Amino acid sequence: MQVEDAIKARHAVRDFTDQPVAKETIQEIVRLAQQTPSWVNSEPWRVYAATGQSLTQIRQGCLDLAAQKVATSPDLKTMSRDDWDPRPQKLMKDWGHDLVHSFADFDEAHTVMTGASDALNNAPAILFVTIPKQTPDWAILDAGAFMQSLLLAATIKGQYLTGEKPGTVGPDGYSLDIAHTTEPGYADRQDDLIFDYQTNVALYPQFQDYVRQYQPDILAAWGKNDPSFIYPGAPRS
């Protein structure tokens, strides 16, 4: 599994399953994310993991506050979408438009999405990343980079382990992939590769025509549990 595959497969989950996440898995994801570079190696972040009863209490507290319409007091100033720069405004509007069309109507979309958000998307584990008050504002950037590494570590590790029996996959592969995420310029390279995926799909008809015309002997192997290149794509390709 390469970094570009992890980036391409990454998405915002709005409703998790109730499958618990092992403490050891969380610890390893955090350990791998610790490779994130920071200013003068300060590593200002602190991570607090909530699971089980603690998370249940936090989730219920969020639901209660939402029901009471209690005003929040965020550390960082919030802003109405109408006050954003035009480009992100358009992107958010387009996203919302596409999202609504995934439901029967706007009311259903609003009810489902708001309910999921208030319930913290029913996540079985949540990592809270903080920085001490005795740090400069720029430490937020270091914390953001660390959270990016957390997401990549979880995504890459999940892609290696999803569908596999516990204990059957060694850590070498996903650890190396995660380490590559800290290399200078890797994001631009992955963007180019991800964008180029469309050329592969566009060539499918030519591949299919060739096979139909010449009928060569083919041994096709497919990872049935691969979360990125899903099995239904095999018969269609």
Side-chain angles (χ1 to χ4, degrees), residues 65-177:
L65 292 174
Q68 299 168 20
K69 301 186 183 301
V70 176
T72 59
S73 55
D75 294 325
L76 301 178
K77 181 182 177 181
T78 59
M79 180 185 294
S80 169
R81 292 187 182 185
D82 295 335
D83 297 328
W84 283 58
D85 185 75
R87 181 176 180 275
Q89 272 196 53
K90 181 180 183 305
L91 292 173
M92 289 186 285
K93 183 178 179 180
D94 292 344
W95 173 81
H97 181 271
D98 293 340
L99 186 63
V100 168
H101 282 74
S102 300
F103 296 89
D105 51 42
F106 175 82
D107 290 338
E108 181 186 0
H110 177 74
T111 299
V112 173
M113 295 299 294
T114 301
S117 177
D118 291 344
L120 303 179
N121 299 325
N122 300 309
I126 293 181
L127 301 185
F128 295 91
V129 178
T130 69
I131 55 175
K133 292 183 177 180
Q134 293 76 27
T135 48
D137 290 344
W138 54 255
I140 295 174
L141 299 177
D142 284 340
F146 173 72
M147 288 188 284
Q148 172 85 331
S149 294
L150 277 177
L151 294 173
L152 285 173
T155 300
I156 294 173
K157 193 170 187 293
Q159 289 180 326
Y160 270 88
L161 302 182
T162 298
E164 301 297 333
K165 295 180 180 179
T168 60
V169 179
D172 297 19
Y174 58 75
S175 297
L176 181 60
D177 274 352

Side-chain angles (χ1 to χ4, degrees), residues 133-219:
K133 292 183 177 180
Q134 293 76 27
T135 48
D137 290 344
W138 54 255
I140 295 174
L141 299 177
D142 284 340
F146 173 72
M147 288 188 284
Q148 172 85 331
S149 294
L150 277 177
L151 294 173
L152 285 173
T155 300
I156 294 173
K157 193 170 187 293
Q159 289 180 326
Y160 270 88
L161 302 182
T162 298
E164 301 297 333
K165 295 180 180 179
T168 60
V169 179
D172 297 19
Y174 58 75
S175 297
L176 181 60
D177 274 352
I178 292 169
H180 286 323
T181 66
T182 63
E183 295 177 354
Y186 92 93
D188 291 336
R189 295 194 297 271
Q190 309 318 320
D191 283 344
D192 291 340
L193 287 169
I194 293 169
F195 183 77
D196 195 51
Y197 272 124
Q198 61 184 314
T199 61
N200 180 53
V201 177
L203 289 172
Y204 274 16
Q206 295 184 37
F207 301 154
Q208 294 163 343
D209 289 343
Y210 177 87
V211 172
R212 292 191 188 100
Q213 180 178 354
Y214 297 101
Q215 299 185 5
D217 293 331
I218 295 177
L219 174 62

